[in-house]
């Protein structure tokens, strides 16, 4: 039975479904590095982790997570500031005057600094005491905080200025200790320190500063590091020794970039850019990054469009992540809004409530709600001729059913489109294999004939999902 070439792949919905209509949801391709996998398949689809709820921190939403240099984890949920010493029982430290919006957290080894768009605060590690930063020259409205060479650096919204503290003292601020992104007259939206360089992101430009060592003006512009494009503020994040962001300038927006040697490179696809162009206002988009099992993920949320896209830097491909409510109302954006790795666990916070979760590879639900794993494969055609397909078979890790209850007899569903992805037939099920049924095949027969086939395979069973390849029994050559 011939292999279904292209079944393992990314999400790529082009501007016309007749051309390309692929989706990969809550699965991502993982390449076999030896090249000796089953049937010499170069990759398999592996499931994304489920959400294991650890605690609920007030009404939410979870606005930020931070793992300090002292090995202590902190969270902001609604107006509450929590220390997550034990993830299942966070301790409330303080109450802010704000309950929504971005927060920034960093530390200098002595104090944790938190800014919430209204005030600045510090938490002294040695005494576990919390206080407001009362220096009258602390800039108003800061919501981003970073650390560079013993300076705490914050933004001043609505201006092009950034401010820096005294060395090793988060409470001491001088009205003359500020810098400006002056290469263009745009506002500074956010900032990020990477490789001891201070990146300043405006709505039209990006500038890079460094610590010159000058006693009076330590942070100075790096010559030649000026980019004539800005970024959506919440999408700026770093991983894999580089920065990622969604670009913005006076010509347009919506291209996802990765910086390589101070030079931005496009990593989005035309299919993703087409999707983003349809989302309207994307100024509220947010991103976080995390590394797991050798993959570096850039997770991009579009709240207004209710969508989540993920770039896997290990292989350079995009997939989607969704949340499926138990009430059957359909797939939504993923619940995770922010992330921190606390040395042993990947912790994420919910964008809509105060739930704190752990990403867990052996949890096959999102806090009890079903996870929809889905792959919509490339078109199958034969130069416009009618093509008969007698069967399609999915090679997967079978026999993974649970001992009892939901998942004891896990099923997969197949939907078929015979007009290139415009309309779809009814779902047909096939078993994945009860516990120990390792030879079970997921196979669908008597599929009929068409000129342009599109197959969509799905599972919501709460069991391990590893999809290896697919095979077709056809009459005529498929392309």
């Amino acid at each position: 039975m011939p292999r279904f070439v292209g079944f393992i792949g990314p999400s790529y919905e082009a501007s016309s479904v007749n051309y390309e209509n692929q989706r990969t949801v809550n699965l991502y391709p993982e390449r076999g590095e030896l090249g000796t996998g089953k049937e010499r398949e170069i990759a398999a689809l592996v499931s994304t982790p489920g959400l294991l709820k650890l605690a609920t921190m007030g009404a939410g939403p979870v606005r930020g997570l931070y793992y300090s240099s002292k090995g202590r984890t902190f969270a902001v949920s609604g107006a509450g500031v929590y220390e997550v010493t034990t993830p299942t029982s966070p301790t409330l430290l303080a109450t802010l005057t704000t309950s929504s919006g971005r927060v920034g957290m960093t530390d200098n080894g002595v104090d944790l600094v938190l800014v919430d768009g209204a005030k600045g605060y510090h938490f002294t590690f040695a005494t576990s005491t919390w206080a407001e930063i009362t220096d009258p020259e602390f800039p108003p409205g800061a919501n981003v905080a970073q650390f560079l060479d013993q300076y705490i650096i914050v933004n001043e919204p609505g201006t092009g200025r950034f401010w820096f503290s005294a060395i090793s003292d988060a409470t001491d601020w001088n009205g003359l200790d500020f810098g400006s992104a002056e290469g263009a007259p745009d506002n500074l939206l956010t900032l990020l320190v990477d490789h001891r360089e201070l990146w300043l992101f405006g709505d039209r430009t990006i500038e890079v500063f460094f610590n010159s060592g000058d006693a009076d003006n330590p942070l100075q512009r790096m010559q030649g590091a000026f980019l004539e494009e800005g970024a959506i503020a919440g999408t700026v994040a770093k991983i894999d020794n580089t920065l990622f962001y969604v670009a913005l300038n006076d010509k347009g927006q919506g291209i996802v970039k990765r910086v390589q040697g101070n030079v931005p490179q496009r990593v989005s696809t035309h299919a993703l850019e087409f999707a983003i162009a349809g989302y309207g206002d994307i100024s509220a988009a947010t991103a976080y990054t995390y590394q797991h099992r050798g993959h570096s993920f850039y997770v991009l949320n579009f709240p207004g469009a209710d969508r989540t896209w993920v770039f896997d830097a290990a292989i350079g491909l995009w997939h989607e992540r969704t949340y499926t409510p138990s009430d059957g109302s359909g797939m939504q954006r993923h619940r995770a809004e922010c992330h921190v790795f606390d040395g042993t666990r990947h912790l994420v916070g919910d964008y809509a409530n105060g739930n704190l979760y752990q990403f867990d590879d052996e949890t096959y639900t999102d806090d009890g709600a079903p996870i929809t794993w889905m792959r919509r494969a490339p078109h199958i055609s034969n130069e416009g001729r009618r093509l008969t397909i007698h069967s399609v078979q999915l090679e997967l890790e079978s026999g993974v059913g649970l001992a009892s209850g939901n998942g004891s007899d896990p099923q997969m569903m197949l939907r078929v489109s015979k007009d290139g992805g415009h309309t779809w037939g009814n779902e047909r099920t096939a078993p994945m294999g009860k516990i120990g049924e390792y030879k079970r095949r997921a196979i669908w027969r008597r599929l009929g004939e068409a000129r342009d086939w599109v197959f969509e395979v799905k599972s919501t069973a709460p069991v391990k999902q590893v999809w290896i390849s697919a095979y077709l029994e056809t009459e005529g050559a498929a392309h």
Side-chain angles (χ1 to χ4, degrees), residues 141 156 168 201 257 315 437 439:
E156 183 183 348
S168 302
F201 294 85
K257 299 287 186 75
I315 57 175
E437 291 184 342
K439 295 183 180 180

Side-chain angles (χ1 to χ4, degrees), residues 12-23 374 376-381 415-425 450-456:
Y12 195 100
E13 292 183 277
S15 56
S16 170
V17 299
N18 293 76
Y19 172 60
E20 195 70 273
N21 192 26
Q22 297 188 54
R23 293 190 69 186
M374 188 180 80
R376 184 183 298 163
H379 290 263
I380 299 172
S381 60
R415 268 199 330 167
V416 177
S417 173
K418 295 185 177 182
D419 56 10
H422 290 276
T423 62
W424 296 86
R451 289 187 173 90
D452 188 356
W453 294 81
V454 179
F455 289 97
E456 183 183 277

Side-chain angles (χ1 to χ4, degrees), residues 306 323-332:
D306 214 17
Y323 172 76
T324 304
S326 298
D327 62 10
S329 56
M331 292 188 290
Q332 305 172 358

Side-chain angles (χ1 to χ4, degrees), residues 57-65 74-84 90-100 103 105 114 116 130 354:
M57 304 177 295
V62 182
R63 304 164 62 189
L65 294 167
F74 299 86
V76 177
S77 178
V81 182
Y82 297 80
E83 181 166 7
V84 191
T91 302
L92 180 64
L93 297 177
T95 301
L96 306 175
T97 59
T98 63
S99 59
S100 63
V103 299
M105 287 184 277
L114 186 152
D116 67 345
W130 174 270

Side-chain angles (χ1 to χ4, degrees), residues 45 71 81 85 92 133 136 182 224 253 262 264 266 274 297 306 309 317-318 323 353 357 369 380 418:
L45 291 175
V81 182
T85 304
L92 180 64
I133 297 175
E182 296 175 342
Q253 64 181 7
N262 291 347
R266 171 178 174 264
F274 172 72
F297 296 112
D306 214 17
W309 289 88
L317 299 177
W318 289 87
Y323 172 76
N353 56 46
Y357 307 106
I380 299 172
K418 295 185 177 182

Side-chain angles (χ1 to χ4, degrees), residues 40-91:
R40 296 299 190 268
E41 188 63 72
I42 63 171
L45 291 175
V46 178
S47 61
T48 57
L51 296 178
L52 176 64
K53 187 168 77 172
L54 301 176
T56 299
M57 304 177 295
V62 182
R63 304 164 62 189
L65 294 167
Y66 182 72
Y67 182 64
S68 72
S69 63
K70 296 300 184 182
R72 300 168 69 173
T73 303
F74 299 86
V76 177
S77 178
V81 182
Y82 297 80
E83 181 166 7
V84 191
T85 304
T86 303
T88 54
S89 55
T91 302

